[in-house]
């Protein structure tokens, strides 16, 4: 990282990581910066990409005269790093320690309340200056994180697809989706279908192979470029709505919620055959495919669906869907996805999910 960072010619770099990260990979990063002649200013990330967290970090770093910021860790730390660097007016280098989401390559940050409820997003004029991913680090992390990244990445193609078909749809940068972004999204999905199982098996064994290399590229680069330029739709709208239910937010990763959102979107599009194909892949790698696997019991479903239906309609890109999206449509689509997921889990088994979730 230090060697790559010299391309930016920094003298003083802020290093944003969690407390656990600083105790672990942080030592390696600090040594790398030191060896490259870059003075480091470590900062501990508090855990939520919230405006109070961002403002506190900016206040602490404003007097440090840093000329770049390195954000290393998971998605929320990375998004917070982008927001902090933008306010400081310095470039940001992203060092994901997990391949669990597509945040690293995008010029935006998803914001949350201090309690972890999604509150919107910020968009920046520049992409990160560098994104450095070490697949040895990814392979050493729990398998569940890579699998969650597949859930996030799989949505890229299905959301880009509806945006390309809808003449009124816009990408996250306020432009019509390009054919190139659709092609990136499609290759992203094809890569996951082809290599996802082998990549998950590699991480389970703590090994790096070609399948893992390609899936890390899909989860990080292809998905990041694809969603930003191809557009978002109902998959992420439903996914972000799950953060409003405390026990789902506390117990599940972003990509796991996106997996459920993708199935709901495909039902919304009346594409049950494609939804089954996706659900079978999700079940094979251990992603949730029905509400019970998000810890939503039968007695809780009505209340949960009320929350999800309302929050989905508040998502800024829900209008990219080709049809009007109503609370009733959201409820019906989530319920249909749940029925499908239960059937797939019954046919294929839920061993992968149980193994990743220790159940």
């Amino acid at each position: 990282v230090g060697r790559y960072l010299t391309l930016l010619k920094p003298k003083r770099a802020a290093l944003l990581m969690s407390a656990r990260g600083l105790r672990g990979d942080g030592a390696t990063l600090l040594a790398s910066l030191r060896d490259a002649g870059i003075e480091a200013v470590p900062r501990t990330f508090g855990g939520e990409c919230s405006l109070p967290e961002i403002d506190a970090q900016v206040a602490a770093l404003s007097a440090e005269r840093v000329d770049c910021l390195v954000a290393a860790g998971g998605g929320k730390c990375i998004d917070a790093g982008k927001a902090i660097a933008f306010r400081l007016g310095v470039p940001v280098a992203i060092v994901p320690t997990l391949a669990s989401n597509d945040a690293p390559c995008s010029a935006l940050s998803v914001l949350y309340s201090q309690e972890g409820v999604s509150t919107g997003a910020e968009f920046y004029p520049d992409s990160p200056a560098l994104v450095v991913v070490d697949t040895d680090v990814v392979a050493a992390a729990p398998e569940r994180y890579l699998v969650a990244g597949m859930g996030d990445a799989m949505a890229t193609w299905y959301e880009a697809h509806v945006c390309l078909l809808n003449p009124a749809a816009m990408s996250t940068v306020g432009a019509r989706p390009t054919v190139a972004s659709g092609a990136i999204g499609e290759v992203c999905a094809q890569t996951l279908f082809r290599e996802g199982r082998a990549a998950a098996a590699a991480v389970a064994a703590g090994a790096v192979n070609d399948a893992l290399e390609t899936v890390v590229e899909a989860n990080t680069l292809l998905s990041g470029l694809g969603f930003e330029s191809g557009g978002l739709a109902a998959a992420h709208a439903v996914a972000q709505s799950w953060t409003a239910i405390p026990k789902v937010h506390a117990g599940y990763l972003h990509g796991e919620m996106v997996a459920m959102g993708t199935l709901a979107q495909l039902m919304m599009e009346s594409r049950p055959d494609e939804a089954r194909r996706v659900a079978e892949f999700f079940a094979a790698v251990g992603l949730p495919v029905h509400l019970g696997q998000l810890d939503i019991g039968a007695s809780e479903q009505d209340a949960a669906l009320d929350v999800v239906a309302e929050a989905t309609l508040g998502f800024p890109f829900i209008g990219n869907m080709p049809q009007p999206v109503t609370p009733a449509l959201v409820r019906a689509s989530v319920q249909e996805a749940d029925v499908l997921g239960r059937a797939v889990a019954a046919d294929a088994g839920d061993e992968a999910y149980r193994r990743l979730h220790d159940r």
Side-chain angles (χ1 to χ4, degrees):
V1 172
R3 180 166 64 88
Y4 288 125
L5 208 61
T6 59
L7 295 169
L8 304 180
K9 298 180 171 60
K11 295 180 180 178
R12 249 169 102 75
L15 174 60
L16 184 72
M17 297 185 78
S18 68
R20 180 179 178 182
L22 284 169
R23 291 192 301 268
D25 292 323
T28 305
L29 277 168
L30 288 168
S32 182
L33 298 183
R34 183 175 60 250
D35 291 345
I38 301 167
E39 185 179 357
V41 180
R43 291 292 307 169
T44 302
F45 173 59
E48 284 296 347
C49 184
S50 64
L51 289 176
E53 170 72 15
I54 292 163
D55 291 343
Q57 297 287 355
V58 170
L61 288 169
S62 292
E64 294 285 353
R65 298 183 180 178
V66 297
D67 42 18
C68 73
L69 185 145
V70 179
K76 289 186 177 182
C77 180
I78 286 168
D79 274 357
K82 286 183 277 187
I84 295 161
F86 173 71
R87 286 160 172 77
L88 293 173
V90 300
V92 62
I94 303 298
V95 185
T97 55
L98 308 167
S100 62
N101 57 73
D102 54 17
C105 294
S106 69
L108 63 87
S109 297
V110 178
L111 301 178
Y112 295 84
S113 70
Q114 291 176 284
E115 294 72 37
V117 179
S118 176
T119 59
E122 284 190 350
F123 299 86
Y124 310 117
D126 297 306
S127 297
L130 293 169
V131 179
V132 183
V133 188
D134 186 331
T135 44
D136 283 329
V137 174
V138 171
E143 180 188 354
R144 182 180 172 188
Y145 290 104
L146 180 80
V147 169
M150 295 186 214
D152 198 15
M154 186 63 81
T156 308
W157 165 232
Y158 295 105
E159 291 180 298
H161 182 255
V162 297
C163 290
L164 284 166
L165 293 178
N166 179 7
M170 303 293 278
S171 72
T172 62
V173 296
R176 280 290 294 146
T178 61
V179 173
S181 67
I184 289 170
E186 187 171 16
V187 169
C188 182
Q190 290 172 348
T191 300
L192 298 174
F193 281 125
R194 185 180 66 250
E195 306 285 0
R197 295 170 180 82
V203 172
V208 175
N209 60 15
D210 288 344
L212 178 61
E213 295 283 359
T214 55
V215 167
V216 168
E217 181 179 349
N219 285 9
T220 306
L221 180 64
L222 299 181
S223 184
L225 295 177
F227 96 78
E228 192 169 48
S229 298
L232 297 170
H236 269 80
V238 172
Q240 290 300 98
S241 74
W242 285 113
T243 66
I245 299 175
K247 71 174 180 177
V248 178
H249 161 69
Y252 295 88
L253 300 170
H254 171 72
E256 293 168 339
M257 299 182 215
V258 176
M260 293 293 292
T262 300
L263 297 179
Q265 177 182 309
L266 288 167
M267 287 303 191
M268 206 176 287
E269 295 179 69
S270 300
R271 299 176 67 188
D273 292 342
E274 189 66 13
R276 173 170 279 277
R277 179 191 181 208
V278 173
E280 288 172 350
F281 171 79
F282 287 169
V285 295
L287 285 161
V289 294
H290 60 74
L291 296 180
Q293 292 180 335
L294 283 185
D295 204 22
I296 303 296
S299 64
E300 304 168 291
Q301 285 190 16
D302 280 345
L305 289 173
D306 285 343
V307 172
V308 169
E310 181 180 354
T312 296
L313 267 60
F315 188 72
F317 299 103
I318 191 61
N320 283 343
M321 291 299 292
Q323 76 271 55
V325 178
T326 64
L329 179 61
V330 174
R331 287 182 65 97
S333 301
V334 173
Q335 288 173 319
E336 289 168 7
D338 176 59
V339 171
L340 170 68
R342 291 180 187 279
V344 166
D347 291 342
D350 60 358
E351 291 82 4
Y353 174 86
R354 288 181 176 276
R355 178 169 54 81
L356 295 190
H357 293 261
D358 295 322
R359 295 185 179 182

